Amino acid sequence: MIRSDIAFQKCISPACGATYEVGEALVACPRCGDLLDVAYDWNRARPPSSLEGFQQMWSQRHDPLRLSGVWRFLELLPFAKPSEVVTVGEGQTLLQQADLVAAYVGLQPGRLFLQYEGMNPSGSFKDNGMTAAFTHARQIGATRAACASTGNTSASLAMYCSVTRLMKGVIFIGSGKISYGKLSQALDFGALTVQIAGDFDDAMARVKEVSRDLGIYLVNSVNPFRLEGQKTIMYRVLEALRWEVPDWIVVPGGNLGNSSAFGKAFAELVELGLIRTAPRLAVINAAGADTLSELVQRRGVRWNGGAVDETPIAAYYQSLDQEQRKASTIASAIEINRPVNLRKCLRALEFCNGVVRHVTDQEILDAKAKVGAGGMGCEPASAASVAGARLLCDQGVIARGDRVVCILTGHQLKDPTATVAYHTTDQEQFNKTLGNRGVRRASFANRAVAVSNNLDEIVKAIRLYS
Ligand SMILES: *Cc1c(COP(=O)(O)O)cnc(C)c1O
Ligand SMILES: [Zn+2]
């Protein structure tokens, strides 16, 4: 088994705290069942003495380890040697100041930034984590990898399989729950795609059993190595802000891997003295998949230094089962009722003085239209961050002058069905895709204009509408 004298795995439960070698493939603590962190002995790891040094990496972009927006920060996730890293050039993402969207959110000009993680090779932030999981899988010699997915994890896994040829991918998806943009990627990349008669939460439960029984490497975000890669989203945000910590990071919450990774990134940067304080974290659920917001806002669940009161959590999950309530939202990437990283997210919320909110599908789609009209576009789940920022501004939690970064987790073209249905003039199409989700109107629709095939009519229409 491979060992590292710098990195190890550690149970997040302070009451347990068991540690394991990097060479083990684990998705839970064998002793107590809690989640695991990748942890480091920073005295041996020799972290950087300042963040500014990372800028110099840009002059070495011919080196794949410097080109990658994940691995140029290798010193902050030092569980692998440079020779072990698997990269396809992920993390070439962008932070954009978006004043039009800021006006919609209720922020002063220059205060809202959108972090475009949809620019990753497979079109979502998941590549940040997948490159780290593949690196670990290669370290331990895994030959098959599996995931349950609402779409983007499978697209990312399938892409890393097809490019690197290191592993064969097996993908579990719920039936009818995945957008065509994402499904088409998994099929095109050639992964084995298993469609389960159930939803994401069912697929997640089955894939855990299958990977345990068949010894397949699991790349869902219960895999602690994936979250190491996702920390770098925050490093790139800081880098784009010239290492000035913003006031707020706003992120959609599904399985809560991102929010957990962001909290860990900031906790480590503070521990290492590389930043003084963490930004506040806002995690945004969809109203139809609002477990985190229900537990934190309504039932008062907190990390509490690791002594989480599990009673209200168990009671809530039991009520979901009894009522056979399934997650339901147009934002399919966050259509999850049993977030696997719940406990890590609670820890992140405590460290970052975080808040949780939920937004309706109506608010998500309206925000998404604003992002499209005033930015580079995103998929529905991503727009939950912008809708959530707007809600928090409305409530006075975020101040108009705060510096706010919304994470746009996935590319605009991931779910064209939702976008076209929103902008359509065809009421039937609108109702079919959006109406049964409580979406009543397309507040910012940009309707296509129908004209006859006649020059005068076309000219007239352009004059009228432009
Ligand atoms: C996976 C995903 C999410 C949810 O992220 P978590 O880390 O699971 O909370 C949000 N948006 C998009 C586009 C995703 O693919
Ligand atoms: Zn444990």
Side-chain angles (χ1 to χ4, degrees):
M1 180 186 304
I2 66 139
R3 286 164 200 281
S4 160
D5 51 4
I6 294 172
F8 52 101
Q9 303 186 67
K10 185 172 196 297
C11 176
I12 71 164
S13 164
C16 173
T19 60
Y20 306 93
E21 297 287 348
V22 163
E24 293 196 58
L26 300 168
V27 293
C29 174
R31 191 199 284 175
C32 78
D34 208 338
L35 296 163
L36 297 169
D37 272 332
V38 180
Y40 305 99
D41 179 346
W42 291 112
N43 291 321
R44 291 171 187 247
R46 293 164 181 266
S49 55
S50 86
L51 289 168
E52 278 80 8
F54 285 111
Q55 276 149 220
Q56 290 153 20
M57 304 283 184
W58 287 97
S59 62
Q60 301 157 36
R61 286 168 63 83
H62 54 276
D63 176 352
L65 288 184
R66 302 289 193 249
L67 175 73
S68 167
V70 172
W71 298 106
R72 75 170 180 272
F73 298 101
L74 176 59
E75 289 164 287
L76 294 172
L77 51 149
F79 68 84
K81 298 191 197 72
S83 60
E84 295 168 328
V85 165
V86 179
T87 175
V88 305
E90 56 290 317
Q92 309 297 315
T93 61
L94 183 70
L95 186 81
Q96 178 206 39
Q97 182 182 316
D99 287 352
L100 221 76
V101 186
Y104 177 67
V105 166
L107 290 167
Q108 288 164 2
R111 305 313 274 178
L112 179 70
F113 300 84
L114 303 176
Q115 172 71 9
Y116 283 95
E117 287 302 314
M119 293 170 72
N120 273 291
S122 82
S124 85
F125 79 82
K126 298 294 198 302
D127 295 346
N128 291 284
M130 204 56 68
T131 184
F134 264 64
T135 296
H136 181 243
R138 178 199 223 168
Q139 286 180 299
I140 67 168
T143 57
R144 281 188 297 181
C147 71
S149 182
T150 61
N152 281 331
T153 304
S154 60
S156 184
L157 169 60
M159 185 195 70
Y160 276 87
C161 286
S162 75
V163 176
T164 67
R165 318 302 306 168
L166 283 170
M167 292 195 283
K168 289 232 179 311
V170 185
I171 284 156
F172 287 65
I173 57 176
S175 53
K177 290 288 188 181
I178 177 169
S179 76
Y180 266 27
K182 302 172 189 182
L183 179 59
S184 64
Q185 288 181 287
L187 299 175
D188 219 21
F189 288 132
L192 171 60
T193 305
V194 182
Q195 198 158 358
I196 292 178
D199 66 1
F200 173 83
D201 294 309
D202 299 320
M204 187 71 231
R206 295 297 84 74
V207 79
K208 275 186 176 169
E209 295 162 359
V210 169
S211 56
R212 181 197 60 209
D213 292 353
L214 300 182
I216 303 179
Y217 189 82
L218 189 62
V219 298
N220 279 101
S221 54
V222 282
N223 179 327
F225 293 89
R226 240 193 68 181
L227 301 197
E228 290 306 291
Q230 289 169 215
K231 291 191 306 193
T232 65
I233 300 169
M234 291 301 102
Y235 306 153
R236 296 197 298 273
V237 164
L238 293 181
E239 184 180 51
L241 295 174
R242 309 214 138 229
W243 312 112
E244 260 184 54
V245 178
D247 297 299
W248 288 93
I249 300 289
V250 190
V251 62
N255 251 333
L256 307 177
N258 253 347
S259 45
S260 300
F262 297 174
K264 185 170 189 282
F266 290 121
E268 289 171 350
L269 290 180
V270 169
E271 184 194 339
L272 293 171
L274 294 169
I275 60 172
R276 239 173 319 185
T277 52
R280 295 190 70 185
L281 185 64
V283 185
I284 313 300
N285 275 163
D290 65 342
T291 294
L292 182 71
S293 125
E294 171 71 24
L295 293 177
V296 171
Q297 278 196 283
R298 308 255 319 262
R299 304 190 185 210
V301 173
R302 295 289 183 275
W303 173 244
N304 205 12
V308 178
D309 181 1
E310 297 284 342
T311 319
I313 304 175
Y316 179 65
Y317 284 154
Q318 203 179 1
S319 72
L320 285 183
D321 284 342
Q322 267 164 7
E323 296 159 30
Q324 296 189 359
R325 198 135 48 87
K326 297 289 184 185
S328 173
T329 167
I330 189 76
S332 55
I334 52 174
E335 193 174 37
I336 294 170
N337 262 350
R338 292 171 185 270
V340 295
N341 287 297
L342 174 63
R343 285 169 56 82
K344 279 188 179 177
C345 178
L346 294 172
R347 183 179 65 172
L349 288 167
E350 180 169 287
F351 185 78
C352 295
N353 188 17
V355 298
V356 181
R357 292 292 185 276
H358 62 262
V359 291
T360 64
D361 282 6
Q362 178 79 57
E363 292 165 326
I364 286 173
L365 289 175
D366 285 342
K368 179 175 124 43
K370 281 292 179 186
V371 171
M376 283 184 277
C378 65
E379 68 167 279
S382 313
S385 63
V386 173
R390 183 167 192 258
L391 177 64
L392 288 163
C393 274
D394 239 27
Q395 297 174 338
V397 178
I398 294 180
R400 286 180 48 76
D402 282 353
R403 287 227 296 183
V404 179
V405 176
C406 288
I407 311 302
L408 299 185
T409 45
H411 197 278
Q412 183 182 37
L413 297 178
K414 287 282 191 174
D415 189 357
T417 313
T419 307
V420 173
Y422 184 87
H423 292 291
T424 188
T425 48
D426 181 345
Q427 195 61 39
E428 207 175 318
Q429 191 187 359
F430 181 92
N431 286 342
K432 203 174 117 219
T433 311
L434 308 177
N436 59 4
R437 300 192 172 277
V439 181
R440 293 286 159 259
R441 58 189 186 281
S443 314
F444 309 109
N446 178 28
R447 310 256 185 250
V449 178
V451 285
S452 54
N453 184 13
N454 170 293
L455 184 57
D456 288 343
E457 292 293 318
I458 294 169
V459 168
K460 220 164 48 184
I462 292 173
R463 289 221 169 99
L464 185 62
Y465 290 107
S466 66

